[in-house]
Amino acid sequence: MACLQCATFRLMADIDKLRREIDGVDDELLKLLNKRAALAGRIGALKQGAPAYRPERETEILRRVAAMNPGPLAPERVSGVFREVISACRGLEEAIRVTYLGPEGTFSEQAVRQHFGRAVEALAVPSVDEAFRRCESRAVQFTVVPVENSTEGVVGRTLDLLLATPLRICGEVELRVQQNLLGKGELKDVRRVYSHAQSLGQCNAWLAQHLPGAERLPLGSNAEAAQRAASEPGAAAIAGEAAAERYGLQVLARAIEDAPNNTTRFLVLGEFDAAPTGKDRTSLVMSAENKPGAVHALLSPIAEHRASMTRIESRPSRAKSGLWEYVFFIDLEGHEKDPALSRALAALREKAPFLKILGSYPAAVC
């Protein structure tokens, strides 16, 4: 018994010693955090009204600390901590407001927090159209909108609005999406499943196997679906875990998406251009003449100048000139100021009846 007591005493002494070391590290961290904030404040004063949010600088910081990280913390955990540090320091320079597709608890809100951190005012709006309008009217500085999902493809309305908006793409977010079935009863009692149409599509196989008789009802957002599930007996929602916490629901089944790496890409839109970082993406939209070989001729400058195209998507042009006319949304690796890409874009301008550069911006940091 005495030996056991001695061992317990030594264990507690070791734990107390380590805790004191942690306290010392925390004290040093506090000093360094405030020193960083003071330096950021001095930079803000020298900017003389220039935007506090600089996506290229923030991305460079996150990439650098992730690359230098020796562990044991995972790189994405380190990036998450530094993202909040950056957000807090940025908030001392400027109060930033960002719109997103609401209501609260959507993946769009999660994308805002993943990109900007928590030291911004995130405002939920009822539609992607309203998210654009608020930013275009300068009621907010930025908006975050979904543009494509790895399983269900593009968000057509976002592409249509990009065609006409004066806003520029200045960042992107790639959000790993875990879909959950949320409700208040049990799985066997579910008769209706609410969710956004894309989320229903992402979980099609799971629903067919586990809830073959349940009615599937699309809504404007997953958070709206969670609100319905919270108030209707026999109803469930497909949404993220944040929606379960916000609307008082239980997680009836986790990770029900059919694709294990289900990811949604979001765009950050504002009124300025991001500078090059060395790992960037350029998005554009262009039209082609309605004649054989026109699209191939338009794409040839991309190959000739060795630009790497990562996505091409066609959409109806919605022009009044006639039916079956399309525009093409294209993503290219690199920044429009990079010499090779700049030459490719100049060649495209000579060939395309219409071409609009939507923005050059840092590639997403997880």
Side-chain angles (χ1 to χ4, degrees):
M1 180 65 70
C3 291
L4 179 59
Q5 289 177 338
C6 289
T8 302
F9 178 80
R10 286 194 298 270
L11 176 63
M12 295 305 299
D14 290 342
I15 290 174
D16 287 341
K17 180 182 178 181
L18 292 170
R19 284 174 174 168
R20 287 193 296 272
E21 288 187 36
I22 288 176
D23 289 343
V25 171
D26 287 345
D27 293 345
E28 190 64 24
L29 279 173
L30 181 60
K31 293 176 184 177
L32 292 173
L33 285 171
N34 281 291
K35 181 178 180 180
R36 189 194 191 285
L39 291 170
R42 289 171 61 184
I43 292 173
L46 293 172
K47 285 182 178 179
Q48 298 181 339
Y53 169 69
R54 295 305 314 183
E56 66 277 6
R57 171 61 179 159
E58 295 184 8
T59 300
E60 287 172 348
I61 293 171
L62 295 175
R63 289 175 183 164
R64 180 173 59 84
V65 297
M68 291 177 58
N69 174 42
L73 288 175
E76 61 270 20
R77 299 296 184 188
V78 171
S79 296
V81 170
F82 272 85
R83 184 176 285 109
E84 291 301 331
V85 171
I86 292 169
S87 180
C89 293
R90 189 201 315 119
L92 296 175
E93 294 185 52
E94 181 183 7
I96 290 179
R97 309 176 82 217
V98 185
T99 56
Y100 66 92
L101 177 62
E104 295 177 343
T106 60
F107 289 117
S108 293
E109 182 185 17
Q110 191 175 335
V112 171
R113 298 307 181 190
Q114 179 170 311
H115 187 78
F116 284 98
R118 300 203 167 266
V120 297
E121 184 179 1
L123 304 173
V125 294
S127 67
V128 173
D129 295 61
E130 182 66 9
F132 272 79
R133 190 195 68 78
R134 293 278 189 99
C135 197
E136 290 168 352
S137 67
R138 299 186 178 178
V140 300
Q141 295 102 314
F142 303 99
T143 187
V144 174
V145 293
V147 66
E148 64 176 326
N149 176 264
S150 58
T151 303
E152 290 298 296
V154 299
V155 180
R157 187 56 185 160
T158 296
L159 295 185
D160 293 340
L161 292 169
L162 284 172
L163 190 59
T165 186
L167 300 176
R168 302 279 288 172
I169 305 173
C170 51
E172 68 173 358
V173 187
E174 290 185 353
L175 184 69
R176 170 70 175 87
V177 174
Q178 178 177 298
Q179 301 284 14
N180 306 293
L181 188 74
L182 313 180
K184 284 198 167 181
E186 297 182 15
L187 185 62
K188 62 181 179 63
D189 299 323
V190 174
R191 299 189 300 275
R192 296 180 303 283
V193 178
Y194 292 107
S195 196
H196 189 277
Q198 281 218 343
S199 295
L200 288 169
Q202 292 165 23
C203 305
N204 183 61
W206 190 94
L207 291 171
Q209 180 179 354
H210 297 276
L211 292 171
E215 186 179 8
R216 304 178 194 180
L217 301 168
L219 293 175
S221 73
N222 292 353
E224 183 184 354
Q227 289 177 318
R228 290 281 192 97
S231 61
E232 294 183 17
I238 297 174
E241 201 162 348
E245 296 173 3
R246 191 176 296 274
Y247 299 107
L249 297 169
Q250 297 175 338
V251 179
L252 304 181
R254 294 183 186 276
I256 66 172
E257 63 275 9
D258 299 334
N261 295 314
N262 186 24
T263 300
T264 296
R265 179 174 170 234
F266 296 81
L267 299 178
V268 182
L269 301 172
E271 288 192 328
F272 73 94
D273 295 313
T277 69
K279 189 178 180 182
D280 303 293
R281 181 170 288 164
T282 295
S283 296
L284 60 90
V285 57
M286 64 181 183
S287 63
E289 294 180 291
N290 191 7
K291 64 180 184 180
V295 175
H296 180 270
L298 273 181
L299 296 180
S300 60
I302 296 175
E304 290 169 4
H305 293 278
R306 298 184 180 277
S308 177
M309 183 171 63
T310 59
R311 181 176 71 101
I312 181 169
E313 187 75 30
S314 64
R315 292 285 295 169
S317 69
R318 300 184 182 274
K320 297 180 180 179
S321 56
L323 296 175
W324 315 120
E325 294 186 359
Y326 289 84
V327 291
F328 300 87
F329 290 84
I330 295 174
D331 287 341
L332 301 169
E333 287 186 358
H335 195 280
E336 62 180 319
K337 292 183 178 179
D338 295 342
L341 188 54
S342 178
R343 290 191 293 269
L345 294 175
L348 282 174
R349 286 189 181 95
E350 293 179 358
K351 291 177 175 288
F354 165 79
L355 185 142
K356 177 184 179 182
I357 305 297
L358 301 174
S360 288
Y361 47 93
V365 177
C366 296

